[in-house]
Amino acid sequence: EAGVAQSPRYKIIEKRQSVAFWCNPISGHATLYWYQQILGQGPKLLIQFQNNGVVDDSQLPKDRFSAERLKGVDSTLKIQPAKLEDSAVYLCASSLVSEQFFGPGTRLTVL
Amino acid sequence: AQSVSQHNHHVILSEAASLELGCNYSYGGTVNLFWYVQYPGQHLQLLLKYFSGDPLVKGIKGFEAEFIKSKFSFNLRKPSVQWSDTAEYFCAVTILTGGGNKLTFGTGTQLKVEL
């Protein structure tokens, strides 16, 4: 079974630039999550989708972050404009029932 | 909001030593509990989980964890660690009262096992 795919794996940008991350969940998994993991901390949920609807985006900084999941499969997370404090690993996960499966993450560095 | 505390941020052990990593959570209702592991250069993967039933759960690679409801704890144990257990370990919780499947993670424990 193929795992959760994410791209790119690494991204370096300057502050105020825009960046987008892509996630392809495990086939058949209806629920998709985006987490932010800052160095030295555990992952923090940014947004949760059930199919293509948002279930929880309470911790998503909506002034600069946006996410979509068209057709209930792939998802993109965008940051516009980026700030220095956005430097982190962005993890995508998917689940069928309760267990979440994580992708390799995208390491973002904002200079 | 629920929170998860992991008391040990860095642990260094020699091979064959016993391991216990502490995890406490703050929510008083029904929870699901997880331990995830992240080996160097790899993605997060599930080590073990507790949903209900026997509070002593066994996971992969000889790990086990005990859920003690009265102490709000879910400590991870392994009787004899190996060099290959060097990794970062995360405790995580989901609450079951309309919170969906939202995982709240602890800050992680970096385990280094020396030969």
Side-chain angles (χ1 to χ4, degrees), chain A residues 24-94:
Chain A
N24 181 237
I26 293 172
S27 177
H29 283 194
T31 312
L32 184 147
Y33 314 79
W34 283 102
Y35 290 86
Q36 179 193 57
Q37 185 176 14
I38 293 173
L39 188 66
Q41 300 180 19
K44 181 186 80 171
L45 180 70
L46 292 175
I47 189 167
Q48 176 182 344
F49 291 95
Q50 181 75 19
N51 296 308
N52 59 351
V54 175
V55 173
D56 184 347
D57 64 356
S58 57
Q59 296 191 93
L60 186 73
K62 298 180 186 65
D63 57 333
R64 298 184 300 106
F65 286 64
S66 64
E68 60 182 10
R69 191 183 184 195
L70 300 176
K71 302 181 181 178
V73 182
D74 293 6
S75 177
T76 56
L77 176 70
K78 297 179 182 178
I79 307 176
Q80 180 179 14
K83 292 185 175 181
L84 296 176
E85 58 261 36
D86 298 331
S87 293
V89 176
Y90 291 85
L91 298 168
C92 180
S94 69

Side-chain angles (χ1 to χ4, degrees), chain A residues 9, chain B residues 38-43:
Chain A
R9 292 294 309 277
Chain B
Q38 188 165 25
Y39 298 103
Q42 298 188 27
H43 55 273

Side-chain angles (χ1 to χ4, degrees), chain B residues 10 12 15 17 52 55 64 76 85:
Chain B
H10 292 89
I12 301 175
E15 267 204 328
S52 63
E64 65 179 30
L76 181 71
D85 293 325

Side-chain angles (χ1 to χ4, degrees), chain A residues 9 31 33 35 37 40-45 48 55-56 58-59 91 95 97-105, chain B residues 9 32 34 36 38 41-46 49 51 88 90 94 98-108:
Chain A
R9 292 294 309 277
T31 312
Y33 314 79
Y35 290 86
Q37 185 176 14
Q41 300 180 19
K44 181 186 80 171
L45 180 70
Q48 176 182 344
V55 173
D56 184 347
S58 57
Q59 296 191 93
L91 298 168
S95 69
V97 184
S98 55
E99 180 179 342
Q100 295 186 28
F101 295 83
F102 285 81
Chain B
H9 298 294
N32 287 343
F34 304 82
Y36 280 84
Q38 188 165 25
Q42 298 188 27
H43 55 273
L44 274 169
Q45 51 190 288
L46 185 67
K49 60 189 176 187
F51 289 170
E88 189 158 20
F90 292 93
T94 59
N101 203 18
K102 174 181 174 179
L103 273 173
T104 299
F105 283 87
T107 53

